[in-house]
Amino acid sequence: MKHVCLIFTPIDHTYRDAATHFSPPLGLVALENYIKQKLPNVKVSILDGSVVHSMDEILKFIDHHSPDIVAQSIQLISYENALTIAKYSKTNGAITVVGGHQATQLATEIVSRQEGIIDYVVVNDGEEAIVGLLTEKEPAHIPNLVFLNNGIVKKTKSHMVDLHLLPPIDYSNCDFAPYDSLLSQAQFDSSTKISRYLRIYSHKGCSNRGNSSACVFCGRADRGVRFKTPSQFWLDMENVITNCNADYVFDVGDDFLCIPKWLEQVALQKPKFSKQYQLGIFGRANRVTSEVAGYLKIIGVTDVVIGFESGDERVLELCGKKNTNVRTNAEAACCLFQNGIDICASYVLGLPGENEESLMATIDSAKEIAKIAERYLGRPPRELVANLIEPSPGSPVYKGILKSMPEKYSGKDILSLEELQRDYYRVYFGLETLHEYKRFRKILCAAAQEIHSLVGYADPQGWKNDEIVESIFN
Ligand code: B12
Ligand code: SF4
């Protein structure tokens, strides 16, 4: 029996990890579901390095079970660990694969630099590629693969999975205990106590970016937008709520409000549930209207994460977030709160053009959101979060850094987030000295603290592990 080990690689813990690892990794569960549908006799093991398995345990697992394929979902801040796992897997005779957004953005660099360590990079959707590798198809005929052949980088044809043909999301092979335990320890503040949090996706891709334009910090790799049908959405919901006992579901699609007709149909087709649930989504401020809020209430949406990014009009403009401004953001918050729907307002600090004045505007924007929530909900919003910009590979700011510093970044696959952030402030702000950089970062950090102090829960990203706490005392 073939055995594939799917790993969500542990990150470098110098960086602050996201706290909301309350659900098994959805991308790997989706791959497992597809493999099980196509190749029921293949053994699939999922190792989650962010919650369940340490590096040591992952290496021991590989030693004990000698999987045929070791396939990892990687991030910038987990890549060096991924290489350690891949090297170890090679000595155990496994085929090594990496996939996900980071791997897609740096596929050529990875295969060129990691010959003999990483055999294949899977770009974009991983379903067909992983099944192709498991069935030992000729690599040249497997879609979405990048690999080295006699020293030359080969890219096979690209293929977008038809979401309508995919099996429903099924978490039934997962052990929920570690995730439930993490959730019970977290300060995650929902309107009523929740005991199981699971993720689904109604669509892939961002409707707000063209092929060349995106929010400056965004490293998403996929192109175009694909939605599941409303009935598929409800099937996924029933699976996680009824079969897997979730009482909180988060849909990770980038803009649940993107297609009004789809939203309307989802509301119309809502089946009866025998128990209560809460549902979180991502939504775009300019698409929130009272009609939309009405549909969201029918569907059972309890909170909407909105990328507000900045409270400063000029910074928002430079961020490339089209069709939204400070006014649309406040109006969206007002409309949702009025309808009893909570929001998480998410900001990114240090965007191009940021200065002390724009930071003040962002703090004011956060205060206003908190005030509106008090007015309608009688309490602060569930979350206000201030992230520090991460120039993710593939993002417009990463491309800007690459252009300005080709000698340092061209062809590189191992990147330090700290250095990237440092170079970002060099290129976009002219902050040459370490002193200037540290001073600015401290100002950003203090602004983040002020925003977080308005609410009971914040799960910021992009900061170093101790930085955000330190800044309270410094
Ligand atoms: C939910 C989510 C999280 C969650 C949960 C992560 C988890 N355990 O699954 C949390 C909040 C914890 C999180 C954290 C982070 N995230 Co995140 N996250 C997302 C989000 C919103 C959805 C991911 C998802 O589930 N998609 C649905 C599934 C079905 O799709 P998928 O994951 O892309 O997987 C498919 C393909 O990519 C591919 N694939 C993926 N992995 C692999 C592996 C193999 C071997 C193969 C063959 C294929 C394959 O096949 C899958 C099926 O088609 C995306 C944005 C988005 N909407 O996609 C950002 C996103 C993936 N995150 C991102 C980042 C940067 C991070 C952080 C590094 C931020 C930080 N500094 O803390 C951390 C890393 C934490 C960690 N420990 O690794 C970036 C990645 C950018 C980049 N260029 O790499 C994204 C794209 C956001 C963005 N707009 O930039 N994240
Ligand atoms: S950050 Fe911007 S470009 Fe990226 S997925 Fe969200 S709206 Fe789209």
Side-chain angles (χ1 to χ4, degrees), residues 285-286 308 310 312-313 316-317 321-331:
N286 59 306
F308 279 38
S310 173
D312 183 274
E313 231 42 282
L316 265 180
E317 184 84 15
K321 191 128 199 155
K322 289 186 212 119
N323 305 324
T324 59
N325 53 42
V326 177
R327 186 180 48 78
T328 53
N329 288 347
E331 282 173 2

Side-chain angles (χ1 to χ4, degrees), residues 8 17 21 73 101-102 126-127 204 218-220 252 390 461:
F8 196 81
D17 197 0
H21 284 290
S73 192
H101 292 269
Q102 171 79 9
E127 281 83 350
K204 277 190 169 188
C218 180
R220 287 206 64 131
V252 302
E390 286 178 57
Q461 303 187 339

Side-chain angles (χ1 to χ4, degrees), residues 50 179 244 346 360 370 393:
S50 50
Y179 301 96
C244 294
S346 171
M360 280 311 296

Side-chain angles (χ1 to χ4, degrees), residues 147-253:
F147 58 98
L148 211 58
N149 189 1
N150 294 326
I152 294 169
V153 177
K154 290 271 172 207
K155 295 181 182 178
T156 62
K157 75 167 193 242
S158 109
H159 171 78
M160 300 229 271
V161 165
D162 182 349
L163 299 192
H164 300 152
L165 303 177
L166 291 180
I169 290 299
D170 179 5
Y171 282 96
S172 54
N173 287 331
C174 298
D175 173 11
F176 297 120
Y179 301 96
D180 295 350
S181 156
L182 204 63
L183 178 63
S184 71
Q185 292 159 36
Q187 309 286 312
F188 187 71
D189 192 18
S190 71
S191 44
T192 49
K193 190 104 191 90
I194 53 170
S195 56
R196 180 156 303 154
Y197 175 122
L198 290 176
R199 293 190 171 99
I200 59 169
Y201 70 103
S202 54
H203 61 289
K204 277 190 169 188
C206 165
S207 58
N208 303 303
R209 63 191 287 173
N211 278 348
S212 59
S213 110
C215 299
V216 289
F217 53 85
C218 180
R220 287 206 64 131
D222 41 13
R223 296 282 175 260
V225 186
R226 291 163 286 164
F227 266 77
K228 292 184 179 177
T229 62
S231 59
Q232 279 180 296
F233 169 77
W234 286 118
L235 204 58
D236 283 347
M237 283 288 281
E238 283 190 301
N239 255 347
V240 294
I241 293 169
T242 312
N243 304 340
C244 294
N245 276 320
D247 46 11
Y248 185 99
V249 185
F250 192 88
D251 186 306
V252 302

